[in-house]
Amino acid sequence: MRPEYREEPCRTALTRVRNMRFKWSLNPYVGCVHRCTFCFVRAFEKIADRPFDARYGTSIRVKTNLIEVLRRELGRKSWKPEQVVVGTATDPYQPAEGHFRLTRDAIEALGDARTPVGLITRGPLIVRDVAVLAYASARARVGVTFSIPTLDPAVWRLTEPGTAPPAKRLRALRTLVDAGIDASVGMAPILPGLSDDPAKMADVVRAARDAGATSVWTNVLYLRPGTREHFLDNLARDWPALVPMYERLYTGRAYVARDVVEPVRARVRELAREHDIADRRERPIRPPPEAEVAVEQLTLTGFLAPPRAAKPATRGVDSTERLPAGR
């Protein structure tokens, strides 16, 4: 289904985040045409009484005045250069970005303000913005995470139907690393019974190393109401034999038990050591020492872990968008 694009202004650009390792988020778009069956945002669409099923991703809100609002917020005397993560509730490099260029202009604005930036994407379109990312990286810490949970073609096609193939994401990662930009791989979400096979995880880690990834991290599927119904419906269609296992793993909970997730994390850490994942950029772009601001490694672990006391932010949040407390 061809998506509808709604050009609408926003009242705020930056969203204050609580109970996370980073303080601010930025989402140039609301909605995502990637339509991943496991997308955590579906849960928050359900809370907002918006379509979270197969209709999600068919209507994308474009924040037409985002850059004007962002520059105004960054120009305030009260603004401190704390890390801003771009793409917490939408992919900032989904196809709409090719036309609207909001993510590109936002990175430039953040670079002008010497603000640390983290990005997470499945979109190879990011290679268009190598020069802007390099500019921002020379003024503050910048880290890009490519989400690549699996290389298995069947799992990819059926669970990430609107995304570019993993191989294209890896080529994009290589382009960024060769340009001196810090780029890592996030193997998330790992799907029990589908992408948690040790051999499949090893394939991703090897590919990440070969592409030059500076680091690798992982986490397991998170299912809240909204995401749960849509994911399980698709699972019943594509892998019906796995439905009983998922019902057992996720009964009465949105996240799997520690004895399920920890072996996955431990295995990926072991694979990262075995395959010597490290920052091997020949000409790394880094800001001068006086411009360095301590930032957390962009793993979005908090988004994937069960929320404790986290609540959606209420200050500085657009009324039509609420940052999720967990991903």
Side-chain angles (χ1 to χ4, degrees), residues 144 148 170 173-174 177 182-187 201-218 267-281 297:
V144 176
I148 307 175
L170 290 163
L173 187 149
R174 167 54 70 185
V177 168
D182 187 356
S184 62
V185 165
M187 295 170 58
M201 292 193 293
D203 288 342
V204 178
V205 173
R206 277 193 298 270
R209 178 204 59 199
D210 293 345
T214 57
S215 62
V216 173
W217 58 269
T218 192
R267 180 56 182 153
V268 170
R269 287 194 296 267
E270 180 183 341
L271 286 167
R273 289 192 297 269
E274 179 183 330
H275 295 288
D276 197 20
I277 298 291
D279 186 347
R280 291 190 176 85
R281 288 174 290 166
Q297 171 66 29

Side-chain angles (χ1 to χ4, degrees), residues 20 22 28 34 55 91 104 134-135 142 144 174-175 183 189 218 225 231 237 279 293 316:
M20 301 295 291
F22 52 92
H34 289 166
R55 294 170 293 170
D91 195 312
R104 177 189 179 91
Y135 167 76
V142 174
V144 176
R174 167 54 70 185
T175 298
T218 192
F231 179 81
R237 179 196 65 197
D279 186 347
V293 175

Side-chain angles (χ1 to χ4, degrees), residues 235-292:
L235 188 73
R237 179 196 65 197
D238 301 320
W239 295 283
L242 292 179
V243 171
M245 181 186 72
Y246 274 82
E247 290 177 340
R248 183 177 69 256
L249 288 173
Y250 290 92
T251 295
R253 62 198 311 160
Y255 201 61
V256 291
R258 185 174 294 275
D259 63 354
V260 176
V261 67
E262 284 305 323
V264 173
R265 290 176 176 168
R267 180 56 182 153
V268 170
R269 287 194 296 267
E270 180 183 341
L271 286 167
R273 289 192 297 269
E274 179 183 330
H275 295 288
D276 197 20
I277 298 291
D279 186 347
R280 291 190 176 85
R281 288 174 290 166
E282 293 183 5
R283 296 178 298 278
I285 302 174
R286 297 190 179 98
E290 62 270 19
E292 280 280 14

Side-chain angles (χ1 to χ4, degrees), residues 65-263:
N65 64 335
L66 179 81
I67 308 307
E68 174 189 346
V69 175
L70 175 61
R71 286 191 177 276
R72 184 167 65 241
E73 292 173 350
L74 294 173
R76 292 171 180 164
K77 291 183 179 179
S78 60
W79 173 250
K80 298 178 181 178
E82 299 174 304
Q83 185 182 31
V84 174
V85 176
V86 183
T88 57
T90 186
D91 195 312
Y93 281 101
Q94 61 180 294
E97 173 60 18
H99 175 74
F100 294 103
R101 300 165 65 93
L102 295 178
T103 302
R104 177 189 179 91
D105 292 346
I107 295 168
E108 183 175 19
L110 291 163
D112 288 345
R114 297 187 181 276
T115 295
V117 180
L119 294 107
I120 185 164
T121 184
R122 286 176 163 85
L125 175 61
I126 194 172
V127 299
R128 178 202 63 186
D129 295 343
V130 166
V132 176
L133 289 163
Y135 167 76
S137 297
R139 296 173 66 81
R141 288 280 301 278
V142 174
V144 176
T145 295
F146 285 90
S147 182
I148 307 175
T150 186
L151 302 184
D152 185 299
V155 176
W156 159 63
R157 288 192 188 97
L158 292 171
T159 62
E160 304 177 52
T163 64
K168 287 189 176 181
R169 297 176 226 172
L170 290 163
R171 286 198 292 272
L173 187 149
R174 167 54 70 185
T175 298
L176 266 58
V177 168
D178 286 348
I181 297 160
D182 187 356
S184 62
V185 165
M187 295 170 58
I190 294 295
L191 307 177
L194 292 173
S195 53
D196 60 347
D197 177 79
K200 290 184 178 181
M201 292 193 293
D203 288 342
V204 178
V205 173
R206 277 193 298 270
R209 178 204 59 199
D210 293 345
T214 57
S215 62
V216 173
W217 58 269
T218 192
N219 223 322
V220 178
L221 178 66
Y222 180 59
L223 287 181
R224 290 186 67 178
T227 304
R228 177 190 294 264
E229 296 92 322
H230 184 73
F231 179 81
L232 291 179
D233 283 348
N234 282 268
L235 188 73
R237 179 196 65 197
D238 301 320
W239 295 283
L242 292 179
V243 171
M245 181 186 72
Y246 274 82
E247 290 177 340
R248 183 177 69 256
L249 288 173
Y250 290 92
T251 295
R253 62 198 311 160
Y255 201 61
V256 291
R258 185 174 294 275
D259 63 354
V260 176
V261 67
E262 284 305 323

Side-chain angles (χ1 to χ4, degrees), residues 33-48:
V33 300
H34 289 166
R35 304 188 315 280
C36 299
T37 62
F38 47 71
C39 180
F40 80 95
V41 179
R42 295 178 187 275
F44 297 92
E45 293 296 281
K46 181 175 183 177
I47 292 172

